[in-house]
Amino acid sequence: MSKKSGGLIRVLQDYVAEPWHQFLIYIFYNVIAFIINAFATDFLPHITKAAFIWSISGFAIICIALLACASPNYNNGDFVFRLFLNTTGWPDGVAWLLGLLQGGLGLIGYDAVAHMIEEIPNPSREGPKIMAYTVLVGLFTGFIFLAVLLLVAGSVNEVVYSTAGPVLQIFYNATNNKAGAVLRFPLICLLFATTTIMTTSSRMTYAFARDGGLPFSRVFSRVHPRLDLPLNALYLTTALVIIFGCIFLGSSSAFNAIVSASVVALGLSYAIPPAIHCLRGRNKLPETRWFKLPPLIGWIVNLVGIVYVLITTVLFLFPPALPVTGNNMNYCIVAFGIILAISTIQWWVDGRKNFTGPKIDVAALSNGEVVGIAPEDGVVDGKGGGLGTEAGDGKGKVEMREELR
């Protein structure tokens, strides 16, 4: 977010953006997201619907506006679909593989449904459907958007070396207007994204703490009796985000390394479930599940996905260009190594003693209910409290919140 906000500042104003300018914008967005997640959860269904409508509308309006403003000065079809430019210093094959990272970005994000799966009605059916729709929407909009950007890009050198970032420079080249270049859509999209990411992050924190996987799990697994949400997990999520923002003030390289490490971890998290599934013979899931591929196709899809993740994970660790210097070095591997070391130590010190796997009632989950940890004692027995349970009532399962309807 800091990098995007910095680019917006550079486009909107003719002055040098200082790190603290970007930091303040970063804090503003996260504070708004925290307020919405803490005190306006009833509006989350409307916010997510508005985000979808805003994103699709923005996609259409931006594409039409760029094409209209740039007319008739378009790059030709050969430039858009055939020309291969390699300014990285890497061999062409490696440079092409590095391009997979940007292309794949438009197709990720389907993991979000997994983070909220316990609050989705009929999750065994709706979860796979939402994941498939996410990829299809990303494929359709991503291909068209990238084609439009290349058509109206103008000078390649201007775009590649722009301090505002490639996308905003293309907007400016097409519209020749700095206010029009932003089109206001990215600003609102950032707020929607920050809000929804904070929602899913706090739910992941809550679920992991509920299973005994975090230090002080009993604290972070508590559900606020009045607000009916894991408020402590939300506090932790927001605090860590702000701390990472403070790192940006001291060193943008360190901040970028942490962000890059999170992307590597995201990719690996995509490969872990199918890898375990394959290692166990692909025969441990219920045969009656709604989404089920034929055995041969299932093996092919799982193995191709695992190999793709392994390749792209290695590529994420490559420096973006040659020759490698202290300025363009990819320090992601350092940040990832530190995170891995901390996680390993936490596992041996605490996790292996307390983590017991998902503490959920599968039958209740299949019916769209959520069973969590009762706020007063942190005990899960399949009959205790959950999201929405009053402290100490012990009255059993709770109807799923309507957050994602």
Side-chain angles (χ1 to χ4, degrees):
M1 182 191 297
S2 294
K3 295 174 72 175
K4 292 181 180 178
S5 61
L8 293 173
I9 291 173
R10 292 185 184 98
V11 169
L12 289 171
Q13 302 292 342
D14 292 323
Y15 68 87
V16 178
E18 298 292 339
W20 67 270
H21 298 165
Q22 301 174 48
F23 178 72
L24 289 179
I25 297 175
Y26 176 87
I27 294 298
F28 171 77
Y29 273 84
N30 281 287
V31 168
I32 296 298
F34 171 80
I35 292 173
I36 293 173
N37 275 281
F39 306 110
T41 52
D42 289 341
F43 291 99
L44 281 177
H46 306 293
I47 290 173
T48 54
K49 290 177 183 177
F52 178 77
I53 294 172
W54 185 268
S55 298
I56 297 300
S57 301
F59 155 75
I61 292 171
I62 289 175
C63 288
I64 294 171
L66 292 179
L67 291 172
C69 292
S71 178
N73 301 314
Y74 301 134
N75 293 319
N76 57 41
D78 188 72
F79 172 85
V80 175
F81 298 108
R82 292 185 57 191
L83 183 62
F84 182 81
L85 294 175
N86 179 11
T87 61
T88 65
W90 289 103
D92 286 351
V94 176
W96 185 86
L97 288 172
L98 290 174
L100 289 175
L101 308 181
Q102 287 71 37
L105 186 63
L107 302 178
I108 66 173
Y110 52 85
D111 58 298
V113 65
H115 310 324
M116 303 292 291
I117 197 68
E118 295 178 26
E119 300 178 58
I120 296 177
N122 194 12
S124 61
R125 181 184 180 91
E126 297 303 322
K129 288 170 59 177
I130 295 172
M131 289 183 178
Y133 293 156
T134 300
V135 174
L136 292 176
V137 170
L139 178 65
F140 175 77
T141 58
F143 181 83
I144 294 177
F145 189 60
L146 289 173
V148 169
L149 291 181
L150 291 172
L151 277 171
V152 304
S155 170
V156 173
N157 287 334
E158 266 190 354
V159 172
V160 171
Y161 298 107
S162 171
T163 58
V167 174
L168 291 179
Q169 185 62 43
I170 291 174
F171 284 5
Y172 176 63
N173 289 349
T175 63
N176 200 29
N177 184 294
K178 290 188 176 182
V182 176
L183 297 177
R184 294 178 176 83
F185 282 97
L187 290 169
I188 306 300
C189 283
L190 281 175
L191 182 58
F192 281 134
T194 306
T195 302
T196 53
I197 289 173
M198 186 172 289
T199 304
T200 57
S201 297
S202 63
R203 296 310 190 273
M204 282 192 293
T205 303
Y206 158 76
F208 199 38
R210 177 196 60 192
D211 300 340
L214 290 179
F216 309 107
S217 288
R218 294 170 65 89
V219 175
F220 298 120
S221 62
R222 293 178 184 272
V223 177
H224 193 280
R226 184 173 61 83
L227 295 177
D228 194 20
L229 55 87
L231 188 61
N232 290 344
L234 184 60
Y235 282 143
L236 177 63
T237 300
T238 307
L240 290 176
V241 167
I242 293 176
I243 290 172
F244 289 146
C246 293
I247 293 174
F248 175 77
L249 287 176
S251 171
S252 60
S253 296
F255 178 81
N256 292 334
I258 293 173
V259 173
S260 299
S262 69
V263 176
V264 171
L266 178 65
L268 289 174
S269 72
Y270 285 178
I272 291 174
I276 295 175
H277 192 34
C278 289
L279 289 173
R280 303 190 69 181
R282 300 193 78 259
N283 57 9
K284 299 301 180 182
L285 294 180
E287 290 296 323
T288 56
R289 65 187 184 275
W290 179 78
F291 184 81
K292 182 181 177 182
L293 294 174
L296 179 60
I297 296 178
W299 275 105
I300 293 173
V301 169
N302 286 159
L303 293 176
V304 169
I306 294 168
V307 171
Y308 174 82
V309 168
L310 293 177
I311 293 174
T312 53
T313 296
V314 173
L315 293 175
F316 267 125
L317 306 179
F318 279 32
L322 294 178
V324 180
T325 66
N327 290 329
N328 70 2
M329 173 62 186
N330 188 345
Y331 293 100
C332 165
I333 186 65
V334 178
F336 186 75
I338 293 174
I339 294 171
L340 185 61
I342 293 174
S343 301
T344 303
I345 294 172
Q346 161 60 17
W347 167 256
W348 284 104
V349 172
D350 179 73
R352 65 192 180 99
K353 301 174 184 176
N354 299 311
F355 182 75
T356 57
K359 297 177 180 178
I360 58 174
D361 185 323
V362 177
L365 183 59
S366 300
N367 293 326
E369 300 174 350
V370 178
V371 179
I373 293 180
E376 83 287 358
D377 57 10
V379 174
V380 175
D381 59 4
K383 300 178 181 179
L387 280 171
T389 306
E390 292 296 324
D393 62 6
K395 292 183 179 178
K397 303 169 186 175
V398 182
E399 287 296 324
M400 185 274 308
R401 289 182 55 81
E402 293 288 331
E403 288 185 2
L404 293 182
R405 284 191 184 276

